[in-house]
Amino acid sequence: MAGTWGRISTAVSPFPNPHYCVVYMRTGISMAEIPKEEYVLKCTSGCAGCSSTLCLRYILKAAGPETVLVMPACCTSVIQGAYPNTAMNVPVYNIAFASAAACASGISASYRSLGKKTNIIVYAGDGGTVDIGLQALSGAFERGTDFLYICYDNEAYGNTGMQRSGSTPLGALTTTTPAGKIHAKKDIDSIVAAHSPPYMASACSAYPLDLFKKVRKALEVRGPTFIHVLAPCPPGWRFPSDQTIEVGKLAVKTGMWILWEREYGKLKISAPSRAAVKKPEPLATYFSAQGRFKGIDPAVAEQLRNEVRRNIQRFVREEEQSCDQ
Amino acid sequence: MRSVATGNKAVAEAVRQANPAVIAAYPITPQTEIVESIAGFVADGTLASQYIPVESEHSAMAACIGASATGVRTFTATSSHGLLYMHEMLFWASGARLPVVMANVNRAVGPGWNVWAEHTDALAQRDTGWLQVFVATVQEAYDTTLMAFRIAEHNDVLLPVMVNLDGFSLSHVMQSLDTVTLGDFIPPMVLPHRIDTANPQGYGPLTGPEEFYKFRWEIERSMRDARSVIAGTEKAFAETFGRKYGMTDEYRCEDADVLVIALGTFGKEAEVAVDILRKEGIKVGSLRPRWFRPFPDLDVKGRDIVVIDRDYSFGFGGVLADSLRARYRVEPSSIIAGLGGQEVTYDDIASFVRTRMPGTETWFGVHDDV
Ligand SMILES: Cc1ncc(C[n+]2csc(CCOP(=O)(O)OP(=O)(O)O)c2C)c(N)n1
Ligand code: SF4
Ligand SMILES: [Mg+2]
């Protein structure tokens, strides 16, 4: 097991739900310490440059073999391979689009009553999370289900050919928003935060070490935990497949995507976003790196710029208030 | 032990004794008494199940699927709109070969809102790959629920079972109930394909045209094998507990020229009509299919058939009548009666027989000339 893990208090947490407690807290890990074992094998059906596959690779390295993945319909239904083969070296339970969190509730109830500590991880797309799967997600979080829900956000319905989702950003072209999306991206994180989970975080495929650490942390917490990973998608976002990491970094550097974690409601902006929230790079560099913002209406671009500015302020202020507590 | 109970209480008591590891359910009239009773058992410690108070029926079935996939016994209960809301997941449970047991309290589907008995909810799930059984008494609801776990979990079946009982006219009716000491009547559940991290596999992944149909055939093969498992289970039940059941429940059918065929409580009430009609010299019997999937073999050759459907498939006909026409090439007198709890008495059933017209369809109480 990589890294050093020190025991911290299991006593009363400031968190409203007494069932949850952080049992361990990690105290440092480097890229070199990430396990060499692979659980995503080299035979996936992902597109070239698919960052969702990359995320899953690090997520499973963090989780290890004692893990069950629960998967609603999404790109990863395809990426995992077709019967009788599988590219995944952990059990993958495929389930209907709307029902991943509920299915995970059933697995969790069974395993925990049997005393099994197996990691139960939902790996769902943004559509399966913010749209059709929202009710099941909310129910599972409200019931305090012991599991980790990871939403990899490629900001559209990838599986069915890039239609808009509630998570598609304002202005973006998709096959069902051929003139650019006229609605803002749904703030799923605030919705999840309203359920007061003991741990939640954002991540981005361009920062695998940050993702790795957050998965480890989430899995050490009892109760429902949530990680929202931005997963740039070359065909969907219309950029060359060798630019996946670059586009992810631009999302973070421009402040379009902020990396943070919230433990028992306490927000901390993560290291890769520290510089960006102080001095974000111009959003135009993010737009121009992708075809989906091609020809974006300047007024819409301005709206997005304001949105990013407001978001940064919101997170910085929340972090300051968290420190004051 | 003898007592008096409602149909719902009888189901709940059977579930308590069958002791599922996980129960996930969502309340709906007239099923609520089942989930409330079970929640009570869990709270007072007489049932050690994990009770998942899900936020919807879609999630109830999804949670049962997840739990069942780990190899443990599961149960849920629903009715009407709740059952329809589960529709997608019903296919998932059978396709994933999971022996989930569910009680469905048959109720009409809105609009308008109607909480009373009708079978259209269950029959609309006819093609989902679930075994379906319809019960007619409180005792039968209890006995059949117990048997359902053994049948579903049998290695030759491994398919989900839906136990149907009529809303209010059985779910809320008090009758005598004789509970058993279960012993090892239901063997421990062994799911050969349970999730196992030591042997990682993909469950339900993409499956192409060259493979998919094989899995569908496996379901049908198990449906066919289920007949002997049902027979074996009912025989074992009779030997252990002294109460006999079969694919059908037959009353004075041996020498009958006319058969009344109906599911659920109507099929039982028809027995009273049979006695009335026999006094009038009409040689009639009641043939009540208990199992609807797999469909029973009925001895209908050379007899007049009066089939009462408490359901309807718009643009075609009563679902049970259609099944009989298709399977046995008969021309029944098809009666559509009891929709949304419409009152149907023994005398009404007797008059369906007296006025029978083979090859026609009659909507009870409808008098228009269209
Ligand atoms: C009930 C239902 N409706 C629609 C679909 C079709 N469908 C499959 S995956 C998908 C989109 C998935 O989008 P997302 O969750 O964002 O995952 P991604 O494909 O982008 O990875 C849709 C619409 C389905 N499988 N089930
Ligand atoms: S469409 Fe995007 S998310 Fe889906 S497999 Fe391709 S690159 Fe990955
Ligand atoms: Mg998506």
Side-chain angles (χ1 to χ4, degrees):
Chain A
M1 183 71 62
T4 33
W5 298 71
R7 205 176 166 79
I8 65 154
S9 169
T10 54
V12 190
S13 81
F15 194 71
N17 191 330
H19 295 312
Y20 315 140
C21 58
V22 176
V23 184
Y24 293 101
M25 185 101 126
R26 62 163 321 291
T27 53
I29 195 163
S30 75
M31 205 67 192
E33 290 173 85
I34 288 182
K36 297 281 177 287
E37 288 81 11
E38 297 291 352
Y39 302 97
V40 176
L41 306 177
K42 289 178 182 164
C43 50
T44 73
S45 323
C47 306
C50 174
S51 73
S52 157
T53 315
L54 184 68
C55 292
L56 193 53
R57 182 167 171 237
Y58 283 94
I59 289 162
L60 290 178
K61 279 172 180 281
E66 195 50 38
T67 298
V68 175
L69 277 185
V70 181
M71 205 170 286
C74 59
C75 272
T76 319
S77 321
V78 182
I79 291 168
Q80 67 182 277
Y83 178 84
N85 300 309
T86 176
M88 303 290 156
N89 216 356
V90 295
V92 178
Y93 211 81
N94 289 282
I95 196 74
F97 201 13
S99 58
C103 178
S105 284
I107 296 174
S108 181
S110 168
Y111 275 174
R112 296 305 179 253
S113 70
L114 295 169
K116 281 194 184 182
K117 295 199 165 69
T118 311
N119 300 314
I120 299 155
I121 304 180
V122 169
Y123 195 61
D126 47 300
T129 303
V130 317
D131 294 336
I132 199 168
L134 183 59
Q135 173 177 305
L137 169 69
S138 174
F141 272 64
E142 181 263 334
R143 294 189 300 270
T145 306
D146 188 19
F147 78 139
L148 166 59
Y149 191 110
I150 299 179
C151 168
Y152 70 93
D153 191 353
N154 57 10
E155 302 193 316
Y157 295 163
N159 174 298
T160 40
M162 280 294 152
Q163 296 81 26
R164 94 191 271 286
S165 81
S167 206
T168 302
L170 179 72
L173 303 172
T174 69
T175 56
T176 49
T177 55
K181 195 186 178 212
I182 56 169
H183 305 113
K185 184 179 174 85
K186 190 190 284 190
D187 183 3
I188 186 68
D189 300 325
S190 293
I191 297 173
V192 173
H195 296 73
S196 304
Y199 181 83
M200 63 183 292
S202 75
C204 172
S205 58
Y207 301 88
L209 184 61
D210 179 69
L211 171 63
F212 180 94
K213 288 179 189 173
K214 285 168 174 170
V215 172
R216 276 277 167 94
K217 221 175 201 180
L219 290 174
E220 292 298 335
V221 174
R222 236 188 301 146
T225 53
F226 183 80
I227 301 180
H228 187 180
V229 194
L230 186 73
C233 163
W237 296 13
R238 308 178 195 186
F239 63 79
S241 59
D242 62 357
Q243 293 298 301
T244 301
I245 300 300
E246 199 44 46
V247 170
K249 285 192 169 162
L250 279 176
V252 171
K253 286 177 180 167
T254 56
M256 185 78 179
W257 189 253
I258 303 171
L259 302 180
W260 48 264
E261 55 188 341
R262 222 183 247 124
E263 286 178 68
Y264 299 105
K266 215 168 185 186
L267 182 93
K268 189 162 172 265
I269 294 169
S270 308
S273 274
R274 291 242 148 253
V277 298
K278 287 205 183 86
K279 194 172 182 305
E281 289 185 12
L283 207 49
T285 58
Y286 183 63
F287 292 155
S288 62
Q290 311 166 56
R292 64 174 174 158
F293 291 109
K294 199 171 176 185
I296 188 171
D297 182 333
V300 173
E302 187 54 30
Q303 233 174 302
L304 271 172
R305 229 169 266 125
N306 289 334
E307 187 63 36
V308 167
R309 205 173 301 132
R310 266 201 304 275
N311 237 356
I312 290 175
Q313 281 171 3
R314 182 163 67 96
F315 276 101
V316 169
R317 206 173 304 135
E318 188 186 332
E319 190 183 42
E320 283 166 6
Q321 281 164 359
S322 289
C323 292
D324 295 345
Q325 275 171 15
Chain B
M1 202 180 77
R2 285 197 175 278
S3 63
V4 172
T6 61
N8 279 343
K9 287 272 191 202
V11 169
E13 176 56 20
V15 171
R16 193 188 65 75
Q17 290 185 268
N19 193 24
V22 177
I23 296 166
Y26 192 80
I28 179 168
T29 306
Q31 152 269 35
T32 34
E33 197 183 14
I34 298 178
V35 295
E36 287 169 353
S37 302
I38 288 173
F41 294 148
V42 172
D44 69 19
T46 52
L47 175 59
S49 305
Q50 297 295 309
Y51 179 82
I52 310 180
V54 282
E55 81 297 335
S56 74
E57 290 87 355
H58 197 276
S59 286
M61 189 49 61
C64 284
I65 287 167
S68 186
T70 68
V72 302
R73 184 166 298 154
T74 54
F75 174 81
T76 187
T78 190
S79 175
S80 179
H81 290 262
L83 185 66
L84 303 198
Y85 200 36
M86 277 181 189
H87 185 65
E88 179 187 29
M89 305 317 291
L90 297 184
F91 279 94
W92 211 281
S94 59
R97 306 308 304 267
L98 300 173
V100 178
V101 172
M102 167 162 67
N104 178 54
V105 184
N106 301 105
R107 164 186 154 179
V109 179
W113 288 118
N114 176 300
V115 297
W116 310 100
E118 190 180 314
H119 297 151
T120 311
D121 59 352
L123 298 181
Q125 315 309 318
R126 187 188 65 179
D127 305 333
T128 55
W130 281 62
L131 280 71
Q132 285 201 32
V133 56
F134 287 78
V135 301
T137 67
V138 167
Q139 186 67 56
E140 190 186 353
Y142 169 83
D143 293 345
T144 305
T145 304
L146 289 177
M147 287 190 273
F149 287 102
R150 177 161 154 165
I151 293 164
E153 293 169 12
H154 193 285
N155 198 52
D156 293 345
V157 179
L158 291 177
L159 285 171
V161 175
M162 187 190 303
V163 179
N164 288 287
L165 57 156
D166 283 337
F168 292 104
S169 47
L170 183 55
S171 67
H172 286 64
V173 163
M174 295 277 246
Q175 293 172 355
S176 69
L177 173 67
D178 186 12
T179 55
V180 302
T181 305
L182 195 55
D184 56 5
F185 180 76
I186 310 173
M189 174 170 157
V190 179
L191 189 72
H193 53 287
R194 67 186 169 278
I195 300 172
D196 181 3
T197 49
N199 177 26
Q201 299 188 35
Y203 293 84
L206 285 184
T207 307
E210 64 290 346
E211 298 287 350
F212 188 81
Y213 69 92
K214 296 177 191 170
F215 290 101
R216 298 300 104 169
W217 163 243
E218 291 284 336
I219 294 174
E220 173 54 15
R221 197 169 61 184
S222 298
M223 268 288 178
R224 294 181 188 186
D225 291 347
R227 290 162 191 278
S228 57
V229 175
I230 291 168
T233 303
E234 288 172 339
K235 185 160 173 277
F237 192 89
E239 284 165 5
T240 319
F241 306 119
R243 284 187 293 272
K244 262 192 168 156
Y245 295 96
M247 290 294 286
T248 57
D249 181 20
E250 294 171 28
Y251 183 74
R252 301 181 83 167
C253 287
E254 307 79 35
D255 64 338
D257 299 327
V258 187
L259 293 176
V260 178
I261 302 182
L263 297 170
T265 51
F266 278 174
K268 201 78 195 161
E269 284 158 20
E271 295 177 6
V272 181
V274 164
D275 289 342
I276 295 169
L277 293 162
R278 285 262 174 182
K279 279 186 197 140
E280 296 170 14
I282 303 173
K283 276 167 118 187
V284 58
S286 165
L287 175 56
R288 176 172 66 91
R290 268 180 23 93
W291 291 86
F292 185 73
R293 286 292 181 272
F295 200 76
D297 293 322
L298 305 179
D299 180 15
V300 293
K301 269 243 170 66
R303 323 213 211 189
D304 258 14
I305 295 166
V306 176
V307 54
I308 308 171
D309 267 289
R310 188 167 220 175
D311 62 80
Y312 203 70
S313 173
F314 298 107
F316 207 94
V319 176
L320 187 55
D322 292 340
S323 306
L324 297 171
R325 287 187 196 107
R327 204 169 176 97
Y328 300 109
R329 308 197 176 183
V330 290
E331 288 292 338
S333 303
S334 163
I335 310 291
I336 311 302
L339 302 189
Q342 181 192 28
E343 177 81 4
V344 179
T345 65
Y346 316 131
D347 286 331
D348 294 326
I349 295 175
S351 75
F352 298 155
V353 173
R354 288 186 206 106
T355 59
R356 68 189 179 279
M357 281 186 288
T360 63
E361 177 183 291
T362 308
W363 282 61
F364 179 52
V366 174
H367 307 284
D368 63 21
D369 306 325
V370 188

